Amino acid sequence: GQVYEYFLGMFASAEGKRGGQFYTPASIVKTLVAVLSPSKGQIYDPCCGSSGMFVQSEKFIESHGGKIGDVAIYGQEANPTTWRLAAMNLAIRGIDFNLGREPADTFTKNQHADLRADYILANPPFKGSLDREAVDTKILNVVDSKKTELLFMALILKGLKLGGRAVVIVPDGVLFGSSNAHMQVRKEIVDRQKLQAVISMPSGVFKPYAGVSTAILLFTKTESGGTDNVWFYDMQADGYSLDDKRNPTDANDISDIIARFQNLDQENTRARTDRSFLVPVSEIRDNKYDLSINRYKEVVYEEKVYEKPAV
């Protein structure tokens, strides 16, 4: 498994950018899995890439007293090469999986259309668009859009069972976009589901492939609301430099994110100037469902005193 991960990393560096495959860094995958905390049930990733989410989920379950087989793995991937990499990644670890009969686009040929999973982890493609006629009307009822980052949010909601939880990486535009479709998605997860956390990530985490700013959303499917206080965290570092080289560094917020999320009752005393804090849902509604951390974070500026121009 370690040897495979080494060569997979080399493949991602050499071929990833050319093929549009932006693999999720291991540090970020660890964060996703830790805040989701999967145990028994079904795990689904509608755009599973090389299966890194599944591998880390199995490691998490085993480290918390579970065993391989406690979860049933379902995934789908459109890129044929990546689909084979995903299958190999799981097979060499002895993990049972269902990645569909063949590589296929999740929207035009969903091979798990009837699945209602306990957990969904996903890093959907950004900035893509689809032919509206090819999209399931049930998805369009949640969000009427051609943008893949918005359509995947609707597909993820559709793929969750009632009470199921999802952790999803989205581009920042999803958090504050002013179009009707952007508002539709945010109202859906805030008013009809239970939004629990928004973790803002620095723009360098996906370099050298992309410099887009992103965030992690964690929510539970309830179909009856339940959002009360949403936890925001302003991640500054993930243990690697935020340039194209992505060299290891001492700066790392991952452990702090996980520890604080597991003790949200202690976050009530945090100020808006801190790295993390809670925001009541009423304030989010008053701000037109804006979920960008900069809308709520308070920045203290140091007053600077300058000499007179004559001096």
Side-chain angles (χ1 to χ4, degrees):
Q2 289 177 316
V3 172
Y4 186 82
E5 284 184 4
Y6 170 77
F7 285 110
L8 185 61
M10 292 179 67
F11 169 82
S13 297
E15 302 293 333
K17 190 171 184 178
R18 184 167 64 85
Q21 300 291 307
F22 299 159
Y23 296 99
T24 314
S27 57
I28 305 304
V29 175
K30 179 182 177 181
T31 306
L32 297 175
V33 173
V35 297
L36 189 66
S37 299
S39 54
K40 293 185 177 181
Q42 297 169 318
I43 294 183
Y44 176 46
D45 185 345
C47 42
C48 67
S50 58
S51 287
M53 305 278 194
F54 296 140
V55 171
Q56 187 61 43
S57 294
E58 290 284 3
K59 289 179 179 179
F60 179 89
I61 290 167
E62 287 187 283
S63 68
H64 287 75
K67 59 184 184 298
I68 289 181
D70 281 352
V71 292
I73 287 174
Y74 295 86
Q76 188 157 337
E77 171 58 41
N79 183 290
T81 301
T82 309
W83 184 77
R84 290 193 294 271
L85 290 170
M88 291 167 62
N89 203 7
L90 296 168
I92 60 175
R93 291 176 167 82
I95 300 173
D96 291 331
F97 59 89
N98 182 342
L99 301 184
R101 296 179 301 279
E102 59 188 354
D105 177 80
T106 309
F107 289 107
T108 58
K109 191 174 182 179
N110 190 344
Q111 299 178 81
H112 306 297
D114 297 327
L115 176 67
R116 298 296 178 266
D118 296 277
Y119 310 99
I120 291 181
L121 301 98
N123 179 13
F126 302 155
K127 304 299 182 185
S129 62
L130 294 172
D131 179 4
R132 190 177 179 280
E133 301 301 319
V135 181
D136 188 340
T137 54
K138 292 180 181 178
I139 293 174
L140 292 175
N141 288 337
V142 177
V143 54
D144 192 357
S145 176
K146 295 180 181 180
K147 293 181 178 294
T148 54
E149 62 265 32
L150 298 178
L151 291 170
F152 261 109
M153 292 296 292
L155 185 142
I156 286 165
L157 281 168
K158 182 174 175 288
L160 278 173
K161 70 190 299 184
L162 204 62
R165 291 183 294 131
V167 60
V168 188
I169 296 176
V170 297
D172 273 5
V174 173
L175 306 179
F176 57 77
S178 58
S179 74
N180 289 335
H182 284 88
M183 287 283 289
Q184 201 176 357
V185 165
R186 296 198 299 270
K187 287 186 71 172
E188 172 71 25
I189 61 175
V190 170
D191 286 348
R192 295 197 69 242
Q193 317 304 333
K194 183 177 181 179
L195 176 63
Q196 293 156 284
V198 179
I199 302 171
S200 174
M201 295 190 289
S203 60
V205 295
F206 286 104
K207 285 187 175 181
Y209 314 117
V212 63
S213 293
T214 56
I216 298 169
L217 298 181
L218 175 71
F219 54 89
T220 301
K221 182 175 179 177
T222 65
E223 299 286 273
S224 59
T227 304
D228 45 18
N229 291 307
V230 179
W231 184 65
F232 285 80
Y233 193 104
D234 187 13
M235 181 197 294
Q236 300 291 319
D238 69 334
Y240 297 88
S241 62
L242 298 175
D243 54 21
D244 286 353
K245 294 182 179 180
R246 293 288 280 160
N247 293 322
T249 65
D250 292 333
N252 193 342
D253 294 329
I254 303 297
S255 297
D256 189 55
I257 291 170
I258 295 170
R260 290 191 178 282
F261 180 76
Q262 292 172 345
N263 295 279
L264 286 183
D265 55 330
Q266 299 177 15
E267 294 289 288
N268 286 314
T269 58
R270 302 276 284 177
R272 295 288 177 91
T273 53
D274 291 328
R275 189 71 59 85
S276 64
F277 49 84
L278 293 169
V279 176
V281 67
S282 57
E283 187 176 346
I284 292 172
R285 292 190 180 112
D286 290 343
N287 280 289
K288 298 181 179 181
Y289 296 89
D290 192 322
L291 296 176
S292 56
I293 193 168
N294 291 334
R295 171 69 69 173
Y296 308 101
K297 187 176 178 64
E298 296 177 5
V299 180
V300 178
Y301 295 99
E302 180 183 350
E303 184 178 358
K304 293 187 180 295
V305 179
Y306 296 96
E307 294 276 12
K308 293 180 179 180
V311 176

